[in-house]
Amino acid sequence: MDTQVLARDQQHVTYRRLVINAVNASGVNSVANIQIRFDPSYQSLVLHSIDIVRNGHIIPKLATARIQVLQREAELEAQIYDGTKTVNVFLDDVREGDTVDYSYSTSGRNPVFKGLDFGAALLQFSSPVARVYSRLLVSSSKHISFAARNTSLKPAISHHNGLLDYVWDVVNPPVLKVENDAPFWYMPYAEVTWSEFADWQTVARWAQPLYQVPEALSPELQAQVDRIAKTEQTSVGRMLAALRLVQGDVRYLGVEIGQNSHAPNPPALVYARRFGDCKDKTLLLLTLLEHLGIDAHAALVNTVLQRGLADVLPSPGVFDHVLVQAQIDGRVWWIDPARYLQKANLADLYQPDYGLALIVDPHTQGLTAMPRAAAGSSARHLDVLFDARAGFDKPVRYTLETTTTGMYAEAIRARLSSTNITDVEKSYLNFRATHYAHIKLAAPLQVRDDEAANHIITKETYTIPDMLQPSSDAKQRVADFLLPDISQVLREPPDTIRKSPLRLIYPHDVSQRTEVLLPANWPLKPRSTVIDDPAFHFEQSTIIDGSRLVILDHFQALTDEVSAQDMSRYVGNLARARAIVGYELAWSNQAAASRATTVAPSGFDRMNWPLVLLALASFGFWTWLAITTYRYDPAPSSDCDKRWVGIGGWLLLPTLAFALRPLLYGKNLANLAVIMDIDRWSQLTTYGHHAYNAMWAPLLLLELINDSAQFVFSLLLLLLLFKHRSNFPRIAVWILISGAAAYMVVLGLEGLIPNIKADPQASTRAVSNLIGSALWSVYLLRSQRVKATFVRRYHASTPQALSRPAQEVSS
């Protein structure tokens, strides 16, 4: 690829040469049809050469090629007529392996730029290129600024007859593939740009004459200004009236030939012919606003680059759209006369955030940030009802009422204005049928449009004749309550391993309230889940009220992109959210399905039998060990002081604590029983579920074994305590230390599970528990009262008589 630009005084010539090899049949089709666009209003085109190189031999084709000049409006579908022409060159006898080598030049520069030059040279592509040669020859009198992006390559600079010659020569630049869903403003390719515009202020001064409001109005426009001034008493009302006049009375059609690619037509002409592009409609609106006493300016934006404008050199060529910035009572409003007719109140008027804008104003110094839209400014809320009161073996009535606001409301309004409502109704039905195959329309689609609040409410009414379906293993019958609108926003992107960021829709707020009217009371448990990711927030909760199930889901986008480095986290959190979307009711056998109106799964069927058996085995083992320990019969201390006999003094404190231990561990076991039911255990220990973590199973099993041991031995400890057995002190010390150590291990495992909310006091309690256990252990082993009280032996045929001294002494 050879591109050379000559910018000398008012002369502007661009020379291009492309040498392309056709490696397959598709390549032959591509290289055999050459297309070159130019604007005849200010450009001329010269074809220099067209050759085919085959097996080292050059076959000239310029003299024999079929050349046609066509008026092909590439942007006509977008209602833009720019007057460009296309030179089509059709080559015959092109074969696989041939190389097509052609060159041409265009002369002329759009006069709208007043002879000021700017441009760019791309040095890297998504296809392999053997050599990229870019050259700029510019008058030494011109003050050109350069910027390089994604490359450290410096130009080779030389001087020729009053010209500065800049050359960038790249051999075999690395091929760079960018995913299709990367942000539009993501620009990773190596590129150099140049501009004769010193700064953004210079660009604003260039644009100022283009958007100069005429002092005198045509009679038609003056009549409209007078009408608005008479009917609207406030500045806000007048601004909205002028905006709606331009949006509603002037259709969008751009005739952008020559200078009109960047220069708007006179407002009187635009209003008289009732069509114009964004430039025309902006100047028309500015004219109305100024004559209504409202301060307003044109604002140049790039709808693709958006905030990426901050990384480019100043020039008029970086803008592709223009809108209006107005100020009323010190407050700034952004309004776009090129949008579909907006009848909303000013507070509900939707305006996209294009990131950065250049205000066409003499005081402009740089780019201005447009206000970022609030996360919930454009929302879609669904109220869904499944009426299954007659039973799931009967047709279920399925209704959806969808309320859309902001850009969603404007999109639906535009669709309804250009599409037959029957076709819209059919498309809605087909979308629902992808989830419920035999769904039937029960009532026509209803639409209520609140244009002032920018809300549109649609109501769909269907019947699902076969809600009850066999499960995948055919052992159950299930009724699925699907949430396709929520599932759509949680779908995984096509490329999860990527080098470029992922583009997200923002603002994007979707919520759904799903109510299921059940045929009878159902043994369901409420649940609530929140998934917070830097890119989105998702929460779901369920409410059970007898025979009514309510599912609440809410998704909200928090940003408009995810970096490639964060994709693993983002995709993982999306998967966690998808895992809980929807709801399913199941019956344990097919016979029960026919009785779905009255039969619910029994508690016996939902028993987590493996854990029940493990718990019984654990209790059996610890009970056996406790009985064995009960027979442990150490000799009492021989140096005890009989004055300290009896439970009193400091010994009262551990006695009270030991009495409470069975209650504490009994409560822990009851909590574990809730967590370990069949549904919750499956969620926590099944890989791929949003609640899964590899540490859940060992943590819960450790707690089960430890709590059952502590419960059994706490009962043993009370028995030994009140029998004053000689083995009590040593067993108590063992139980205290083992309980404190087990608590430390459990706390460590909990720290490895992100889903468990951290208790800031847990570590302090664990350390206090360990220290307390150690201190009381020392007391139990050294206290005179303990030695004098716990002296009874297991094997003694007659308990040793203990006498209490006449005077009590505390210890």
Side-chain angles (χ1 to χ4, degrees), residues 381-384 511-515 548 550-553:
H381 175 75
L382 294 91
D383 278 302
V384 180
S511 59
Q512 179 164 331
R513 181 185 185 276
T514 305
E515 183 174 352
R548 188 172 66 100
V550 177
I551 310 167
L552 304 174
D553 295 87

Side-chain angles (χ1 to χ4, degrees), residues 641-649 651-652 724 779 784-786 788-790 802-804 808-809:
D641 187 339
K642 303 302 183 184
R643 295 177 302 164
W644 305 100
V645 174
I647 296 176
L651 186 57
L652 287 172
H724 293 191
Y779 171 79
Q784 288 295 323
R785 183 179 293 278
V786 173
T789 302
F790 298 100
L802 299 178
S803 59
R804 183 179 298 276
E808 289 285 349
V809 180

Side-chain angles (χ1 to χ4, degrees), residues 25 41 49 106 269 271 352 376 394 410 497 536 572 597 638 694 720 749 766:
S41 66
S49 64
T106 56
L269 175 62
Y271 191 69
K394 303 290 192 303
E410 292 195 359
I497 300 175
F536 71 90
T597 58
S638 58
L720 299 177
L749 291 176

Side-chain angles (χ1 to χ4, degrees), residues 7-9 137-142 159-165:
R8 176 173 53 192
D9 300 327
L137 293 100
V138 60
S139 299
S140 55
S141 59
K142 286 181 174 288
H159 298 265
H160 306 286
N161 301 321
L163 295 174
L164 284 171
D165 191 348

Side-chain angles (χ1 to χ4, degrees), residues 342-545:
Q342 296 174 298
K343 296 183 180 180
N345 301 319
L346 189 57
D348 299 305
L349 201 70
Y350 173 69
Q351 172 56 51
D353 169 21
Y354 295 125
L356 296 170
L358 181 70
I359 308 303
V360 181
D361 180 75
H363 303 99
T364 292
Q365 299 292 322
L367 297 172
T368 298
M370 293 185 67
R372 183 178 176 83
S377 59
S378 290
R380 191 165 78 247
H381 175 75
L382 294 91
D383 278 302
V384 180
L385 176 66
F386 291 90
D387 190 347
R389 286 174 292 183
F392 286 106
D393 55 341
K394 303 290 192 303
V396 173
R397 194 169 181 85
Y398 175 37
T399 60
L400 305 97
E401 187 169 274
T402 306
T403 303
T404 58
T405 63
M407 66 177 178
Y408 298 119
E410 292 195 359
I412 292 178
R413 193 173 291 120
R415 182 184 182 187
L416 291 172
S417 69
S418 59
T419 308
N420 187 292
I421 193 167
T422 304
D423 294 335
V424 176
E425 181 181 80
K426 183 178 179 180
S427 69
Y428 282 18
L429 175 62
N430 286 330
F431 174 69
R432 303 300 171 192
T434 60
H435 303 91
Y436 297 107
H438 302 107
I439 191 171
K440 297 179 180 179
L441 191 67
L445 176 68
Q446 298 177 31
V447 179
R448 303 195 307 273
D449 190 354
D450 184 349
E451 291 183 304
N454 200 14
H455 289 180
I456 286 188
I457 301 174
T458 59
K459 185 175 182 180
E460 307 163 60
T461 308
Y462 307 103
T463 299
I464 305 174
D466 51 359
M467 192 79 178
L468 213 56
Q469 294 290 323
S471 62
S472 57
D473 59 5
K475 295 180 180 179
Q476 293 180 314
R477 298 293 294 274
V478 298
D480 283 319
F481 307 101
L482 305 174
L483 283 70
D485 298 85
I486 294 290
S487 298
Q488 270 196 332
V489 300
L490 296 172
R491 64 182 181 271
E492 185 176 282
D495 297 311
T496 58
I497 300 175
R498 54 196 300 132
K499 294 182 179 179
S500 58
L502 172 69
R503 182 178 71 250
L504 301 180
I505 299 174
Y506 180 90
H508 202 187
D509 188 296
V510 181
S511 59
Q512 179 164 331
R513 181 185 185 276
T514 305
E515 183 174 352
V516 184
L517 301 180
L518 301 166
N521 288 356
W522 217 267
L524 304 173
K525 295 179 180 179
R527 71 186 186 195
S528 181
T529 306
V530 175
I531 298 174
D532 276 316
D533 184 273
F536 71 90
H537 169 83
F538 178 77
E539 58 183 304
Q540 184 192 75
S541 59
T542 58
I543 302 170
I544 311 299
D545 182 11

Side-chain angles (χ1 to χ4, degrees), residues 636-637 640 642 788-793 796-803:
S637 177
C640 60
K642 303 302 183 184
T789 302
F790 298 100
V791 295
R792 291 181 179 177
R793 305 290 299 277
S797 57
T798 304
Q800 180 180 349
L802 299 178
S803 59

Side-chain angles (χ1 to χ4, degrees), residues 72-382:
R72 299 183 60 186
E73 294 293 338
E75 296 185 274
L76 194 57
E77 288 186 0
Q79 302 298 307
I80 296 176
Y81 176 89
D82 60 13
T84 58
K85 293 189 176 181
T86 301
V87 173
N88 266 21
V89 182
F90 301 95
L91 302 179
D92 58 7
D93 190 23
V94 180
R95 309 172 189 177
E96 288 188 25
D98 284 356
T99 295
V100 174
D101 181 347
Y102 67 97
S103 62
Y104 66 92
S105 62
T106 56
S107 300
R109 183 70 161 165
N110 194 328
V112 74
F113 300 125
K114 308 298 183 185
L116 297 175
D117 282 292
F118 56 88
L122 199 59
L123 305 179
Q124 188 179 23
F125 301 88
S126 58
S127 299
V129 179
R131 185 180 181 187
V132 181
Y133 183 86
S134 294
R135 183 185 186 193
L136 173 65
L137 293 100
V138 60
S139 299
S140 55
S141 59
K142 286 181 174 288
H143 299 286
I144 303 288
S145 298
F146 291 89
R149 184 167 51 244
N150 305 311
T151 179
S152 58
L153 181 66
K154 304 294 183 182
I157 305 175
S158 57
H159 298 265
H160 306 286
N161 301 321
L163 295 174
L164 284 171
D165 191 348
Y166 300 87
V167 173
W168 297 267
D169 196 356
V170 185
V171 176
N172 290 321
V175 174
L176 180 59
K177 297 286 187 180
V178 176
E179 290 83 3
N180 292 330
D181 53 2
F184 299 125
W185 54 88
Y186 178 64
M187 300 177 289
Y189 293 99
E191 182 183 32
V192 292
T193 57
W194 59 86
S195 177
E196 200 173 348
F197 290 83
D199 49 34
W200 292 115
Q201 184 181 31
T202 307
V203 180
R205 285 201 301 264
W206 162 84
Q208 193 175 348
L210 303 179
Y211 292 94
Q212 186 68 44
V213 171
E215 294 183 3
L217 298 180
S218 66
E220 277 190 299
L221 284 180
Q222 187 63 57
Q224 293 297 335
V225 168
D226 294 340
R227 177 187 62 82
I228 294 173
K230 182 179 180 180
T231 57
E232 300 292 341
Q233 304 305 312
T234 66
S235 296
V236 167
R238 292 175 178 180
M239 180 179 73
L240 288 176
L243 174 66
R244 291 163 185 163
L245 173 68
V246 178
Q247 289 178 336
D249 284 10
V250 180
R251 75 181 191 276
Y252 187 91
L253 174 64
V255 180
E256 302 182 350
I257 299 174
Q259 295 196 61
N260 287 119
S261 62
H262 289 73
N265 287 289
L269 175 62
V270 172
Y271 191 69
R273 63 189 186 183
R274 294 299 199 276
F275 70 79
D277 61 10
C278 62
K279 304 182 300 296
D280 299 331
K281 291 167 74 100
T282 289
L283 182 55
L284 174 58
L285 180 57
L286 290 174
T287 300
L288 294 172
L289 293 178
E290 180 167 311
H291 286 271
L292 288 167
I294 298 172
D295 184 26
H297 299 89
L300 304 174
V301 298
N302 190 307
T303 58
V304 176
L305 283 179
Q306 298 186 8
R307 61 175 177 265
L309 282 176
D311 300 322
V312 303
L313 281 177
S315 81
V318 300
F319 300 107
D320 66 355
H321 187 55
V322 59
L323 45 88
V324 171
Q325 185 205 61
Q327 296 192 37
I328 298 176
D329 298 330
R331 184 167 181 179
V332 174
W333 300 98
W334 301 80
I335 50 178
D336 190 345
R339 295 188 67 80
Y340 285 106
L341 178 60
Q342 296 174 298
K343 296 183 180 180
N345 301 319
L346 189 57
D348 299 305
L349 201 70
Y350 173 69
Q351 172 56 51
D353 169 21
Y354 295 125
L356 296 170
L358 181 70
I359 308 303
V360 181
D361 180 75
H363 303 99
T364 292
Q365 299 292 322
L367 297 172
T368 298
M370 293 185 67
R372 183 178 176 83
S377 59
S378 290
R380 191 165 78 247
H381 175 75
L382 294 91

Side-chain angles (χ1 to χ4, degrees), residues 565-740:
Q565 295 82 358
D566 292 332
M567 282 299 297
S568 177
R569 180 216 72 220
Y570 172 72
V571 170
N573 284 331
L574 280 180
R576 289 175 57 207
R578 283 198 306 275
I580 63 173
V581 170
Y583 211 89
E584 179 183 274
L585 296 180
W587 290 262
S588 57
N589 57 68
Q590 292 188 8
S594 63
R595 303 190 302 274
T597 58
T598 59
V599 180
S602 68
F604 187 83
D605 292 331
R606 307 305 294 161
M607 277 279 195
N608 194 343
W609 283 110
L611 286 181
V612 170
L613 295 176
L614 177 63
L616 292 174
S618 178
F619 271 101
F621 172 77
W622 294 123
T623 301
W624 170 82
L625 187 59
I627 293 171
T628 303
T629 305
Y630 179 80
R631 298 190 182 103
Y632 171 54
D633 195 26
S637 177
S638 58
D639 61 345
C640 60
D641 187 339
K642 303 302 183 184
R643 295 177 302 164
W644 305 100
V645 174
I647 296 176
W650 290 106
L651 186 57
L652 287 172
L653 294 178
T655 299
L656 179 61
F658 291 142
L660 294 175
R661 283 176 72 86
L663 299 177
L664 172 65
Y665 285 102
K667 180 182 177 182
N668 288 351
L669 288 169
N671 291 336
L672 279 175
V674 174
I675 296 177
M676 289 183 171
D677 76 359
I678 187 68
D679 295 321
R680 189 61 177 151
W681 175 262
S682 298
Q683 293 171 3
L684 298 176
T685 60
T686 301
Y687 180 79
H689 195 276
H690 71 94
Y692 169 79
N693 188 283
M695 300 310 298
W696 269 121
L699 170 62
L700 294 175
L701 293 176
L702 172 62
E703 289 197 70
L704 173 62
I705 294 170
N706 175 66
D707 289 351
S708 60
Q710 293 292 330
F711 179 76
V712 170
F713 275 88
S714 294
L715 294 176
L716 171 65
L717 204 59
L718 285 179
L719 181 61
L720 299 177
L721 171 67
F722 291 109
K723 283 198 170 190
H724 293 191
R725 285 284 306 280
S726 61
N727 59 356
F728 169 79
R730 299 181 187 182
I731 295 175
V733 169
W734 179 83
I735 291 176
L736 286 174
I737 296 300
S738 64

